[in-house]
Amino acid sequence: MRQRLVVGNWKLNGSRATNAALLRACVEGADFASPAKVLGVCAPFAYLAQLQEVLGGTAIQYGSQDVSRFASGAFTGEVSAAMVADFGCRLAIVGHSERRALFGDTDEIVAIKFGMAQAVGLTPILCVGESLAEREAGDTEAVVSRQLQAVIAAHGVKSLAKAVVAYEPVWAIGTGKTASPAQAQAVHAFLRGVVAEQDASVASSLPILYGGSVKASNAAELFAQADIDGGLIGGASLVAEDFLAIGRSL
Ligand code: PEP
């Protein structure tokens, strides 16, 4: 059985006060969370200590939204994977489309970050996804396969045995437009097939999450698809009731 996950991506949101209320409600409502059905929260670096304080010892996993491609040294403003792990984190998102589009994260840099996360025992959540223009040009499969192959080329297909992939069509992120379950399933099956060509056993155990305007009202239908193993949740992860309802759809 593949692990199923619902992971919140808070993006650049939060304060110590609002986080405390949100996290408390998540802890109280996460009775369904288990090693097989993971509920996770990825917060800004500044709040990792708060996540450790509130979520440490609970069934909720937590992590960062990025890691530096460097291990240490003269890289002002960077936060290394080891520093993230030092707060008890288990997860690290890498290659989110906002980092790719706004902060220069190329496929090669994302692959380095993926390796940095794994080297310290974090589970990287590798985001892939096409823009609207790429979808309309019929390039969806070429784009997501290129993004995934960059990691396989750098670290080998076996590296995916300790990773999670998130398919996030850029046109569906924060837009209220969700990929239909059939559209999402088609890309998930394609991604699993790309991995299966190289290692069938890694492919069958690889969790592939869908992300892009997942809500309590559409999560169950998405998660019922054969190759959709949960979701990466932006906006709805900031409202405990919505986030927990999505988690209960696992
Ligand atoms: C995301 O940021 O990864 C995301 C999926 O955002 P949203 O759920 O708000 O579309």
Side-chain angles (χ1 to χ4, degrees):
M1 278 290 279
R2 282 194 291 276
Q3 192 175 52
R4 296 174 72 77
L5 306 90
V6 160
V7 179
N9 171 18
W10 287 1
K11 311 195 191 199
L12 186 54
N13 292 294
S15 68
R16 281 191 63 85
T18 59
N19 301 345
L22 175 55
L23 291 171
R24 205 173 314 113
C26 287
V27 171
E28 279 164 16
D31 46 355
F32 58 87
S34 70
K37 287 190 181 180
V38 170
L39 190 69
V41 174
C42 290
F45 294 123
Y47 297 128
L48 295 183
Q50 190 178 16
L51 295 189
Q52 183 173 37
E53 198 181 294
V54 183
L55 300 181
T58 75
I60 303 180
Q61 296 190 16
Y62 57 93
S64 62
Q65 301 167 11
D66 191 25
V67 294
S68 177
R69 65 183 189 273
F70 303 109
S72 64
F75 301 104
T76 302
E78 289 288 278
V79 177
S80 72
M83 293 170 183
V84 170
D86 209 10
F87 285 98
C89 291
R90 299 184 49 190
L91 309 169
I93 297 172
V94 296
H96 191 280
S97 63
E98 288 152 16
R99 303 241 32 114
R100 291 178 189 264
L102 303 172
F103 301 101
D105 281 12
T106 62
D107 291 341
E108 291 67 34
I109 290 172
V110 172
I112 293 169
K113 291 181 171 189
F114 179 102
M116 284 293 183
Q118 277 196 333
V120 297
L122 296 168
T123 298
I125 301 175
L126 169 68
C127 298
V128 300
E130 82 288 3
S131 66
L132 184 58
E134 288 164 339
R135 173 162 281 263
E136 287 176 348
D139 290 339
T140 298
E141 293 188 351
V143 170
V144 298
S145 145
R146 190 201 72 222
Q147 292 169 332
L148 181 61
Q149 293 288 11
V151 166
I152 296 175
H155 304 292
V157 69
K158 295 268 189 233
S159 68
L160 294 174
K162 288 193 174 157
V164 171
V165 169
Y167 168 57
E168 299 207 305
V170 179
W171 48 272
I173 297 180
T175 58
K177 281 187 207 149
T178 316
S180 70
Q183 277 176 322
Q185 164 59 23
V187 180
H188 282 232
F190 170 76
L191 285 165
R192 199 177 304 287
V194 168
V195 180
E197 276 168 20
Q198 301 172 64
D199 191 314
S201 134
V202 169
S204 71
S205 64
L206 174 67
I208 307 180
L209 313 184
Y210 169 78
S213 298
V214 176
K215 304 183 264 293
S217 57
N218 59 20
E221 208 190 341
L222 285 159
F223 299 170
Q225 304 300 307
D227 289 289
I228 301 185
D229 306 307
L232 184 56
I233 319 298
S237 72
L238 299 171
V239 180
E241 194 185 321
D242 296 349
F243 186 51
L244 289 166
I246 295 169
R248 279 191 209 99
S249 306
L250 275 174

